[in-house]
Amino acid sequence: MPDDQPNPPLPVSRRADLLLLLPFGWQLGLAPWANGVAWRPLGLPFAMAWQMAGILFATGVLALRYALDGRGAGA
Amino acid sequence: MIRALVLAIVLGTTLAAMLYGRAQARVRAHSLEEWALGGRKMGTLVFWFLNAGEIYTTFAVLGISGFAWAYGAPAYLAFCSVSLSAAVGYWLTPRIHAYGRAYGLVTQADFFAHRYGSRALGVVVALAGLVALVVYVQIQVTALGLVLRLAIGPAVGATAAACLAVAAMLAFVFLAGLRSAAFAAGVKDVLMLAVMAVLAAGVARLVGAQSLLDVFRRVQDLHPQAVRFPGLRPELGLDTVWLATSAINVAIGTYVFPHMFQLCYSAGGQDTIRRNAVFQPLYSLSYFFIIALGFAALLAGTHPAGDDPNALLLTFVTQRCPAWLVGLFAGTAALLALVPGSVLLLTCGSIFARNVVRPWWPAMADARELAVSRLSMVGFAGAALWLALGASQSLVALGLSAYAAIGMLAPGVYLAFAGRGVPAVAVAAGLVAGFAVLWVPAVTARAAALCVHWDIGLVALVVNLAVVLIATAALRINRGGTSRPRP
């Protein structure tokens, strides 16, 4: 029975995993606010530019989370 | 011209993919692990293309441009889906990968059977997965037929187009397996990005705009309601609540689908799978071009036959672009259906051999298991073809709801990694509750009234999870503080 015993090969959850919630805050939590902004960066609708910036933000957060894991964790 | 380009792209990619797959495998695949998982040796770039190959399907691309045209801002959901799936995936996918490697698992049903210690649960998950995947293949076949008929004209019959599509899907993966699909996915993604950029640049002039950015300026001036939530059809309730709940549902569900789950096993290591999560979201910036095309069609006043949003982009391109570009676009769109279709068929084959045949034939040799997978794949391709060509609409609708229902496996996946001691019975009870929210009209209506503008899939998921947790707690009390999964 594989259950009810710690599985040695599995990664352990860390407090740094909470970072992964930040993209949700940017892209979903702040979406109602972004929807009301009239400014047009580069002529784009702000709500859309906000989501595209959110992709870059998410990439940055994931890169930070990756860096916290240290290089070459696991094989 | 158009026909020659489409054929050149599709046949050229198929041939090159087969050659690449054979060359990479070096020795002929002799086990399911080698064929369906590429020997668990996929590197970062190849693994990235495989993931992208499954996320950017015909319906994602054609559907999003149609969504932008028909509803406006709700199409921005496309920008959230990949980045948030990656954020969840960063936590989930290394766990799936590690578990699969430790116990030599190949399919998602293997995981359920092993983790919950229940072969019956494995068979149930396998059968549900097969139904859902075949329907998903059928969607790709139908989409491909749409592409070919709109691009080439009625000269290509629906039957011929569908048969050709299924034959090409099988050709991709029959011999060399996942490695060939990975190569084709790479060709597809590079081509798509190039074609979309060319299209978007050219299209601005066609609709009287100075540049691509000017398209957005004009849309904001002429259709101010289109660029912000709730978009062009406020009565549908596609507001930011809808955005948030739909995006969360997609993020939770992406790697729960059987083929995405299985893909996680193929990564070469923990580092590969984590790096993929970091870089996967960047590609979704390309939805910028796809949404731009949808808005351009809105400015141009394009109306596809029957105002079907899925036909919008094809109609727009065939009406307004030169033949060579239409050919390039149609060829790329064909690959958008073929690549995911081939991986879906490969997943079907491996599930069938591992989780439907093997429980009754435990002594089956590896080579025999591989042969069963390949042959059954032809059968599933035939089933998808039959669904695409001859099946009644109600049957297709039934299958579609089965596909939507696969997301209900999520609590069983996440709880397996987050907590211990969740019994199979509790997971099953959660499934039933989730299905009730999705399928029993009275319950659906009640749930929709309680959670206004929520994505109904997420409501079903929340109910499902609540039932699993309550059932687990109840069983634990019943058994005096310990809980063990049923054998």
Side-chain angles (χ1 to χ4, degrees):
Chain A
M1 194 64 52
D3 215 334
D4 276 4
Q5 56 187 333
N7 290 288
L10 294 188
V12 199
S13 289
R14 299 172 49 182
R15 197 175 297 172
D17 285 334
L18 292 174
L19 282 174
L20 301 174
L21 294 175
L22 289 177
F24 287 85
W26 181 298
Q27 294 195 279
L28 305 182
L30 292 175
W33 165 77
N35 198 40
V37 176
W39 180 46
R40 301 177 180 183
L42 298 173
L44 295 174
F46 187 80
M48 178 170 153
W50 179 254
Q51 294 300 343
M52 294 180 72
I55 292 174
L56 298 177
F57 176 73
T59 305
V61 168
L62 287 163
L64 175 65
R65 179 68 192 81
Y66 179 76
L68 290 174
D69 265 339
R71 280 187 304 135
Chain B
M1 170 82 162
I2 298 175
R3 196 179 312 179
L5 266 171
V6 173
L7 274 178
I9 291 174
V10 170
L11 294 182
T13 309
T14 309
L15 204 67
M18 287 169 74
L19 290 174
Y20 171 84
R22 296 304 286 273
Q24 282 293 304
R26 285 187 200 94
V27 285
R28 261 172 67 171
H30 53 272
S31 72
L32 198 55
E33 197 175 28
E34 184 65 33
W35 178 72
L37 301 180
R40 301 184 204 266
K41 286 197 277 266
M42 296 297 180
T44 305
L45 186 67
V46 177
F47 188 69
W48 187 91
F49 275 126
L50 269 171
N51 274 269
E54 296 312 297
I55 295 170
Y56 306 93
T57 64
T58 0
F59 265 78
V61 171
L62 302 184
I64 288 299
S65 58
F67 223 71
W69 166 80
Y71 309 116
Y76 302 162
L77 174 64
F79 289 125
C80 302
S81 53
V82 183
S83 54
L84 300 182
S85 294
V88 173
Y90 191 93
W91 184 86
L92 178 67
T93 55
R95 286 167 169 75
I96 297 174
H97 172 265
Y99 198 95
R101 168 159 297 199
Y103 299 109
L105 310 181
V106 175
T107 67
Q108 185 187 38
D110 281 350
F111 171 80
F112 273 88
H114 188 272
R115 185 70 179 88
Y116 290 97
S118 163
R119 188 171 285 176
L121 187 63
V123 174
V124 169
V125 170
L127 293 177
L130 285 175
V131 173
L133 291 174
V134 166
V135 172
Y136 203 21
V137 175
Q138 177 256 323
I139 291 176
Q140 305 301 333
V141 173
T142 306
L144 190 88
L146 196 70
V147 170
L148 292 183
R149 258 173 301 146
L150 272 171
I152 302 180
V156 174
T159 313
C163 290
L164 194 74
V166 167
M169 282 178 193
L170 285 174
F172 274 138
V173 289
F174 196 84
L175 288 177
L178 194 62
R179 287 193 180 89
S180 292
F183 177 87
V187 174
K188 175 211 105 171
D189 285 316
V190 172
L191 259 181
M192 187 185 91
L193 204 56
V195 169
M196 284 300 154
V198 171
L199 266 180
V203 151
R205 266 185 304 109
L206 293 175
V207 298
Q210 305 289 323
S211 68
L212 196 53
L213 291 176
D214 197 35
V215 169
F216 286 98
R217 269 186 215 107
R218 278 162 179 262
V219 168
Q220 288 172 94
D221 293 338
L222 297 173
H223 304 274
Q225 74 283 22
V227 297
R228 61 184 46 175
F229 293 94
L232 291 163
R233 304 275 303 276
E235 73 277 12
L236 296 179
L238 303 177
D239 55 11
T240 49
V241 172
W242 167 85
L243 173 80
T245 52
S246 304
I248 291 173
N249 195 29
V250 171
I252 293 174
T254 296
Y255 286 97
V256 170
F257 282 94
H259 58 296
M260 298 302 284
F261 194 101
Q262 187 168 330
L263 212 52
C264 295
Y265 297 146
S266 74
Q270 295 281 312
D271 206 45
T272 302
I273 207 161
R274 291 207 166 98
R275 246 188 267 183
N276 176 65
V278 176
F279 290 111
Q280 197 58 241
L282 286 177
Y283 190 56
S284 65
L285 285 170
S286 66
Y287 280 120
F288 169 80
F289 295 118
I290 294 162
I291 290 176
L293 287 168
F295 280 160
L298 182 66
L299 288 177
T302 306
H303 279 282
D307 274 349
D308 172 12
N310 288 325
L312 184 265
L313 189 55
L314 287 163
T315 310
F316 184 57
V317 168
T318 41
Q319 280 177 1
R320 305 232 165 203
C321 292
W324 64 269
L325 194 52
V326 176
L328 212 56
F329 175 75
T332 309
L335 288 183
L336 282 174
L338 291 176
V339 172
S342 62
V343 174
L344 292 165
L345 283 176
L346 179 133
T347 312
C348 285
S350 41
I351 294 175
F352 184 77
R354 295 277 297 191
N355 308 107
V356 179
V357 176
R358 196 181 266 290
W360 278 276
W361 187 10
M364 179 166 55
D366 278 359
R368 190 61 58 81
E369 188 177 45
L370 179 61
V372 170
S373 301
R374 281 182 178 153
L375 285 178
S376 70
M377 204 172 68
V378 179
F380 290 117
L385 192 61
W386 175 71
L387 279 175
L389 292 177
S392 66
Q393 279 308 302
S394 57
L395 200 60
V396 174
L398 190 75
L400 277 176
S401 47
Y403 181 70
I406 282 291
M408 289 298 105
L409 294 175
V413 171
Y414 288 90
L415 289 175
F417 294 121
R420 283 184 284 135
V422 177
V425 183
V427 173
L431 279 178
V432 172
F435 289 155
V437 175
L438 284 180
W439 288 345
V440 179
V443 182
T444 310
R446 195 72 185 273
L450 275 175
C451 304
V452 180
H453 296 177
W454 275 50
D455 182 89
I456 194 71
L458 188 65
V459 180
L461 207 54
V462 170
V463 171
N464 178 342
L465 178 67
V467 169
V468 175
L469 294 177
I470 292 169
T472 306
L475 286 167
R476 191 167 291 169
I477 292 165
N478 218 11
R479 292 174 192 184
T482 56
S483 87
R484 293 201 171 271
R486 287 225 170 142

